[in-house]
Amino acid sequence: MQKLFILFLVLACFSCNKNVQEDLGLPLGETKWNLYFKNNSTFSFFAQSQLHFNSNKSVKNYRNFDSLTGTWKSKTDIVTINFDNGDIYNGTAITIDSISGILTASGNNGIWYAIKQ
């Protein structure tokens, strides 16, 4: 009986640890951000839009003339946003209120940063 109890205790610890590890990441759910991006590093200006991160891991990018939807994931201070049109944004938190990174959009490589509203 004692061995069974110890085995149960060990399995419970591993099961709890797995859930905690999967939940680590930036607290982006239900937040709004100002997004600044250049789809090509030769551009001399940053375009601006608004990102809305939802707790169900969906994201919306409200641009001037259209909106993009996609999904986001985060682990530690790294965030990845995959938009439905194929654009991919990878970034790192600089502070809890700012993220900066690189992007791939329509075959171009660029840079982006976002500041929490």
Side-chain angles (χ1 to χ4, degrees):
M1 184 68 170
Q2 186 178 14
K3 289 181 182 180
L4 184 59
F5 177 74
I6 291 172
L7 178 62
F8 175 75
L9 186 60
V10 168
L11 290 175
C13 288
F14 281 116
S15 133
C16 291
N17 190 22
K18 179 182 176 194
N19 290 336
V20 170
Q21 292 299 322
E22 289 175 357
D23 292 337
L24 290 178
L26 298 172
L28 297 176
E30 303 307 322
T31 61
K32 297 178 181 180
W33 297 68
N34 291 324
L35 173 66
Y36 304 89
F37 59 97
K38 292 199 287 187
N39 287 352
N40 188 320
S41 60
T42 62
F43 290 174
S44 61
F45 64 92
F46 281 87
Q48 182 179 353
S49 64
Q50 291 189 7
L51 283 178
H52 293 196
F53 291 94
N54 298 311
S55 58
N56 66 356
K57 302 292 185 182
S58 68
V59 64
K60 285 191 177 182
N61 183 358
Y62 294 99
R63 303 187 302 190
N64 286 337
F65 301 106
D66 63 351
S67 296
L68 293 175
T69 59
T71 59
W72 65 273
K73 63 182 176 180
S74 177
K75 186 170 184 179
T76 62
D77 63 344
I78 306 295
V79 63
T80 300
I81 305 167
N82 292 296
F83 289 106
D84 296 338
N85 70 346
D87 293 358
I88 301 171
Y89 288 56
N90 292 301
T92 303
I94 306 303
T95 67
I96 195 69
D97 295 330
S98 63
I99 304 169
S100 177
I102 59 171
L103 65 90
T104 302
S106 304
N108 293 312
N109 296 317
I111 57 175
W112 67 280
Y113 68 96
I115 299 177
K116 191 174 181 180
Q117 293 181 358

